[in-house]
């Protein structure tokens, strides 16, 4: 269930971000592709999808590449900027579905609190200011201001604050910028692509697993 919610959230997030970068007249919807890299030849990326089909895509010059790797709970420490997909609880707190820790160079990514496309779901990018203990669906990105020794973290963003509960089984990953050298044969990837006028698919955003990690989103 956790993995399903994470994937659903990030699909919505990536597509909404991508849509915001397209010209107003563009009508071609973004496609989400998950699979393993077959090869990267120049700007042509070949991916074997989870359905067993091999597709060829053009990698955009300004493609956004992100690497994902597994992280330990101990990595949630004072000053860390992180994100969490979470589910609102009756007491007003949020129960984390997953946590992803951003590299320092990605600090501030999408900071704020906003609704997602599904009723009752939100996305929050914020700064963590405290940790203590308990936890529709949300996304919170924040900076940890106190050690995460308890089960509850307080996330602050400009204009608001959220309290998030971290269960023992909440998956935690680390996100960092990547480069094309990571798109090696066998690497696990999740990407968004759009069809071009020439009929080819162009990859605009790619998340690649580091050290064999399968992207959970």
């Amino acid at each position: 269930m956790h993995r399903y919610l994470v994937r659903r959230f990030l699909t919505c997030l990536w597509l909404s971000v991508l849509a915001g970068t397209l010209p107003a007249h563009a009508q071609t919807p973004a496609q989400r592709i998950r699979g393993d890299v077959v090869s990267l030849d120049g700007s042509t990326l070949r991916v074997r999808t989870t359905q067993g089909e091999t597709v060829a895509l053009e990698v955009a010059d300004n493609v956004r590449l992100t690497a994902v790797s597994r992280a330990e709970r101990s990595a949630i420490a004072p000053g860390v900027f992180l994100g969490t997909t979470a589910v609102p609880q009756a007491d007003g707190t949020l129960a984390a579905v997953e946590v992803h820790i951003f590299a320092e160079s990605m600090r501030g990514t999408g900071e704020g609190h906003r609704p997602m496309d599904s009723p009752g779901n939100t996305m929050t990018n914020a700064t963590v200011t405290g940790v203590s203990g308990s936890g529709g669906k949300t996304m919170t990105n924040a900076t940890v201001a106190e050690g995460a020794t308890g089960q509850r973290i307080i996330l602050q963003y400009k204009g608001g604050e959220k309290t998030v509960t971290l269960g023992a089984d909440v998956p935690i990953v680390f996100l960092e910028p990547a480069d094309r050298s990571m798109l090696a044969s066998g690497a696990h990837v999740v990407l968004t692509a759009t069809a071009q006028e020439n009929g080819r698919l162009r990859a605009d955003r790619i998340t690649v697993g580091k050290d064999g990690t399968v992207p959970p989103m």
Side-chain angles (χ1 to χ4, degrees):
M1 178 61 71
H2 287 317
R3 185 172 297 175
Y4 168 77
L5 291 173
V6 172
R7 290 179 178 176
R8 180 176 174 79
F9 161 73
L10 288 169
T11 298
C12 295
L13 172 62
W14 291 348
L15 295 184
S16 63
V17 169
L18 182 57
T21 66
L22 294 174
H25 63 273
Q27 300 296 320
T28 303
Q31 298 182 38
R32 182 167 180 270
I33 298 173
R34 170 181 288 274
D36 299 334
V37 173
V38 174
S39 65
L40 176 63
D41 183 9
S43 63
T44 300
L45 176 68
R46 289 181 172 80
V47 174
R48 182 173 296 280
T49 70
T50 53
Q51 290 75 37
E53 176 187 7
T54 298
V55 296
L57 309 100
E58 172 189 342
V59 178
D61 292 338
N62 61 343
V63 64
R64 297 182 63 181
L65 280 164
T66 304
V68 60
S69 56
R70 294 185 180 280
E72 299 297 329
R73 184 179 293 263
S74 60
I76 302 176
V80 170
F81 186 81
L82 58 77
T84 176
T85 304
V87 181
Q89 303 298 285
D91 63 358
T93 63
L94 306 172
V97 172
E98 60 81 37
V99 173
H100 52 273
I101 301 171
F102 288 100
E104 184 60 27
S105 62
M106 299 175 74
R107 177 178 294 275
T109 300
E111 185 171 1
H113 183 78
R114 61 193 65 83
M116 293 171 63
D117 63 339
S118 301
N121 296 346
T122 69
M123 179 176 70
T124 310
N125 297 351
T127 300
V128 181
T129 58
V131 178
S132 54
S134 128
K137 171 177 162 185
T138 71
M139 170 68 193
T140 307
N141 285 357
T143 300
V144 180
E146 297 181 13
T149 56
Q151 293 299 309
R152 179 178 292 189
I153 59 176
I154 300 173
L155 307 178
Q156 287 189 349
Y157 52 92
K158 186 175 181 180
E161 177 181 287
K162 297 297 177 184
T163 299
V164 181
T165 298
L166 302 181
D169 60 347
V170 173
I172 302 172
V173 296
F174 182 72
L175 296 181
E176 62 185 309
D179 58 51
R180 299 189 186 211
S181 67
M182 294 188 67
L183 298 177
S185 177
H188 307 299
V189 294
V190 177
L191 58 86
T192 55
T194 52
Q196 304 303 293
E197 292 183 356
N198 60 10
R200 296 194 66 187
L201 286 173
R202 183 185 67 191
D204 301 286
R205 187 180 182 98
I206 303 174
T207 296
V208 55
K210 185 177 181 179
D211 300 327
T213 301
V214 178
M217 56 286 289

